[in-house]
């Protein structure tokens, strides 16, 4: 017999279906709740609300588990590439050898962006934040490359086009913001190598692509590739549910990611660590401030809505800091500060009691800094990594014949009905 949940309201009892996921996660299906009872549920921030049924990513926040299409992120970080992981997320399975080659070829073929788009970039003020630029350019892409979605093949073309062009646009915006000549993508480079080359190659100082950095970038982007119904992905799904075009939905995703509580935390973490280094304030003082009730300051890169233990991505990222810095024979004092901060926080009852652990953003900035990525591009790096997830989640929604428009309800607590007072009668 199928399990149900019994709800008793005003003396009447209602049976609600229970949905059990493939990993045993349980949910109460309240789709008919209002119709049957007149009640809605109230869940600000949607901490207990499942907005969809998905086959893409599984997270267990208590155990620190993250899997894409069933494959543990640790295995993907160790053995896969970003392109292969993107294919996995979007298509639900690893590519065959033939598919892997054709995907790589397509990513090369689609890597250029329309020359006229450079004019857009050039006209943003020099101090414009790259996330604002990326969000606008993402939306603008639609005017240059109308959406193709009549067939599966056409839709795939759009996904590959987006995966390829986001990387070109990101590097392009960096070059233009520095007043430098744009470096074009090269067909002989892999996805990640191409990005590094477009960012750092210049006519006066040719860039030597370091295979270890390429590997680090692959891991960095794999770790960011999807995270089920997080703020930006939810934004893509919500905006997409209005049947807007894919570029507009992704542009909303980029905008949502920008916030310091979400993807913008990687920039906020490095700024916090730099501030600690510059001001000479002790790590204990910083932790004390983060705990103070009357201070809005938070330890950036700590805490997570789902993880109540160490974020599995942060574990890999922390190790990567050591690998990348030692490979580059670089010392970064911010890594010492970060490790000390983690040590103090993880032995403090405030952080222990609230299950606050480092998240992916805590160590990622140190890796990016070592690669030479400027701070204001950190969240753009997150966005490039998250694109496969956004695409997979968009696709899952779009292929669902029952994709309903997102339209939460509310509990109104405002004024009761009252009459309009003409302006002449008001003071
Ligand atoms: N420093 C100090 N206190 C914190 C922190 C923190 N980083 N994070 C949460 N808390 C406290 C918070 O004040 C609250 O205390 P109380 O119960 O006394 O009011 C309690 O812990 C629960 O926090 P919450 O804000 O209700 O939890 P949430 O699930 O709504 O927020 C979060 C999750 C990630 C927004 C939050 O932990 C935070 O602001 N962290 C810092 C920003 C950050 O690192 N964001 C990146 C998240 S990972 C990347 C991504 O996928 O977006």
């Amino acid at each position: 017999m199928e399990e149900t949940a019994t709800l008793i309201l005003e003396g009447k009892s209602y049976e609600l279906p229970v949905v059990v996921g493939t990993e045993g996660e349980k949910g109460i299906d309240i789709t008919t709740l209002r119709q049957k009872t007149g009640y809605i549920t109230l869940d600000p921030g949607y901490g207990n609300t499942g907005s969809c049924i998905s086959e893409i990513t599984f997270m267990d926040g208590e155990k620190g588990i993250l899997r894409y299409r069933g494959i543990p992120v640790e295995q993907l970080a160790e053995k896969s590439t970003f392109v292969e992981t993107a294919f996995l997320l979007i298509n639900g399975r690893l590519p065959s050898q033939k598919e892997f080659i054709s995907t790589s070829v397509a990513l090369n073929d689609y890597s250029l962006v329309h020359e006229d788009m450079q004019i857009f970039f050039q006209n943003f003020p020099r101090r414009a934040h790259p996330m604002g630029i990326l969000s606008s350019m993402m939306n603008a892409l639609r005017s240059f490359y109308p959406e193709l979605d009549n067939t599966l093949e056409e839709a795939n073309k759009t996904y590959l086009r987006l995966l390829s062009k986001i990387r070109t646009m990101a590097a392009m915006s960096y070059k233009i913001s520095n007043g430098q000549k744009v470096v074009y993508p090269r067909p002989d480079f892999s996805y990640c190598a191409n990005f590094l080359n477009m960012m750092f190659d210049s006519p006066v100082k040719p860039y030597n692509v370091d295979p270890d950095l390429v590997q680090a970038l692959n891991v960095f982007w794999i770790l960011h590739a999807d995270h089920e119904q997080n703020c930006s992905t939810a934004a893509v799904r919500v905006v997409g549910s209005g049947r807007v075009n894919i570029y507009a939905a992704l542009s909303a995703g980029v905008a949502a990611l920008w916030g310091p509580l979400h993807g913008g935390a990687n920039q906020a973490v490095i700024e916090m660590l730099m501030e600690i280094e510059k001001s000479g304030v002790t790590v204990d003082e910083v932790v004390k401030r983060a705990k103070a009730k009357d201070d809005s300051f938070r330890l950036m890169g700590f805490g997570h809505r789902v993880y109540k233990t160490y974020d599995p991505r942060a574990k890999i990222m922390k190790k990567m800091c050591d690998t990348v810095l030692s490979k580059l024979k670089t010392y970064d004092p911010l890594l010492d500060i970060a490790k000390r901060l983690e040590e103090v926080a993880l032995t403090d009852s405030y952080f222990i009691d609230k299950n606050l652990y480092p998240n992916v953003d805590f160590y990622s900035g140190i890796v990016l800094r070592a690669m030479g990525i400027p701070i204001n591009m950190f969240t753009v790096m997150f966005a490039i990594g998250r694109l496969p997830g956004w695409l997979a989640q968009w696709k899952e929604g779009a292929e669902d014949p029952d994709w309903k428009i997102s339209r939460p309800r509310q509990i109104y607590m405002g004024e009761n009905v009252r009459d309009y007072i003409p302006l002449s009668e008001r003071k």
Side-chain angles (χ1 to χ4, degrees):
M1 209 178 78
E2 283 197 359
E3 202 181 337
T4 57
T6 307
L7 174 72
I8 300 171
L9 270 179
E10 298 168 4
K12 266 181 93 177
S13 134
Y14 303 89
E15 293 301 312
L16 297 167
V18 165
V19 182
V20 184
T22 48
E23 290 290 341
E25 289 173 301
K26 290 179 180 166
I28 301 169
D29 181 348
I30 56 150
T31 329
T32 57
L33 182 70
R34 189 169 181 280
Q35 184 195 330
K36 282 181 180 164
T37 66
Y39 282 67
I40 62 161
T41 54
L42 182 62
D43 183 20
Y46 310 128
N48 298 289
T49 298
S51 60
C52 59
I53 287 181
S54 180
E55 296 178 2
I56 302 169
T57 289
F58 173 69
M59 287 173 74
D60 182 328
E62 275 69 38
K63 294 192 186 131
I65 291 174
L66 174 61
R67 297 179 201 142
Y68 301 155
R69 301 286 188 179
I71 304 180
V73 74
E74 293 81 2
Q75 284 185 27
L76 291 166
E78 195 190 327
K79 299 175 185 164
S80 183
T81 61
F82 177 60
V83 168
E84 190 184 46
T85 299
F87 185 104
L88 168 74
L89 282 165
I90 296 168
N91 298 288
R93 57 179 173 80
L94 289 167
S96 65
Q97 292 180 13
K98 204 171 140 208
E99 285 168 332
F100 184 75
I101 293 168
S102 63
T103 301
S104 306
V105 169
L107 288 172
N108 267 328
D109 288 351
Y110 297 137
S111 60
L112 290 171
V113 296
H114 200 293
E115 286 290 317
D116 288 353
M117 286 193 91
Q118 281 200 37
I119 302 166
F120 273 49
F121 281 107
Q122 270 150 356
N123 286 307
F124 275 101
R126 281 282 175 262
R127 287 167 58 86
H129 195 286
M131 281 300 274
I133 300 178
L134 184 64
S135 177
S136 314
M137 299 313 288
M138 191 56 101
N139 219 337
L141 270 179
R142 171 109 200 290
S143 315
F144 291 89
Y145 305 97
E147 196 176 17
L148 300 168
D149 63 358
N150 286 329
T151 62
L152 194 62
E153 203 183 320
E154 283 190 350
N156 271 335
K157 227 184 228 184
T158 299
Y159 305 146
L160 290 167
R161 207 182 242 174
L162 279 157
L163 281 172
S164 192
K165 292 195 196 310
I166 192 175
R167 170 196 58 168
T168 310
M169 290 193 309
M172 201 172 171
S173 66
Y174 170 65
K175 282 293 191 189
I176 291 173
S177 69
N178 279 336
Q180 291 177 16
K181 216 168 154 344
V182 164
V183 175
Y184 286 88
R186 280 177 36 178
D188 53 326
F189 280 150
S190 67
Y191 187 93
C192 294
N194 235 325
F195 176 75
L196 291 172
N197 192 61
M198 284 191 276
M199 284 286 290
F200 301 120
D201 190 48
S202 91
V204 287
K205 200 168 171 225
Y207 182 71
N208 284 324
V209 179
D210 179 333
D212 289 324
L213 287 191
V214 170
Q215 167 61 7
L217 186 53
N218 267 297
V219 175
F220 179 91
W221 277 337
I222 287 170
L223 295 180
H224 286 84
D226 194 45
H227 220 216
E228 48 122 302
Q229 307 311 314
N230 57 86
C231 176
S232 56
T233 303
V236 170
R237 283 209 187 231
V238 168
V239 173
S241 75
R243 305 303 189 267
V244 74
N245 68 79
I246 191 169
Y247 300 102
L250 293 171
S251 163
V254 175
L257 187 73
W258 192 358
L261 296 191
H262 190 15
N266 58 12
Q267 177 172 343
V269 169
I270 217 78
E271 285 167 352
M272 175 185 78
L273 296 174
M274 285 165 73
E275 182 57 32
I276 296 172
E277 191 199 20
K278 194 172 116 204
S279 67
V281 62
T282 66
V283 159
D284 297 80
E285 281 167 322
V286 174
V287 169
K288 193 170 158 201
R289 239 194 105 187
K291 296 191 297 182
K293 267 263 167 243
D294 54 352
D295 192 332
S296 62
F297 172 77
R298 285 186 163 197
L299 203 51
M300 298 314 285
F302 257 73
H304 198 273
R305 172 60 63 78
V306 180
Y307 294 124
K308 298 303 160 206
T309 182
Y310 214 104
D311 179 337
R313 305 167 301 170
K315 264 189 207 158
I316 302 172
M317 202 66 88
K318 184 178 178 185
K319 253 198 226 151
M320 202 156 77
C321 286
D322 290 322
T323 320
V324 170
L325 291 181
S326 87
K327 156 74 200 168
L328 295 174
K329 298 190 176 58
T330 310
Y331 167 70
D332 189 344
L334 300 192
L335 181 58
D336 287 345
I337 297 173
K339 284 184 176 171
R340 176 87 190 110
L341 207 48
E342 177 187 337
E343 198 179 297
V344 172
L346 292 190
T347 48
D348 188 294
S349 61
Y350 174 95
F351 289 85
I352 296 169
D353 295 348
K354 294 183 194 294
N355 297 313
L356 301 171
Y357 292 85
N359 58 51
V360 70
D361 294 316
F362 194 64
Y363 287 105
S364 69
I366 292 169
V367 172
L368 294 176
R369 211 161 99 109
M371 283 180 185
I373 307 288
I375 293 172
N376 67 357
M377 287 285 289
F378 282 11
T379 313
V380 170
M381 298 299 286
F382 193 150
I384 300 173
R386 183 53 54 87
L387 183 61
W390 290 335
L391 292 173
Q393 304 267 354
W394 157 277
K395 185 173 180 241
E396 194 172 66
E399 287 175 1
D400 177 356
D402 296 323
W403 195 16
K404 286 181 87 71
I405 187 161
S406 289
R407 204 319 186 172
R409 294 251 177 188
Q410 63 164 21
I411 300 286
Y412 177 71
M413 290 283 190
E415 297 281 355
N416 290 118
V417 64
R418 52 183 177 150
D419 287 327
Y420 173 79
I421 303 167
L423 183 58
S424 56
E425 291 172 28
R426 278 177 260 153
K427 281 194 198 145

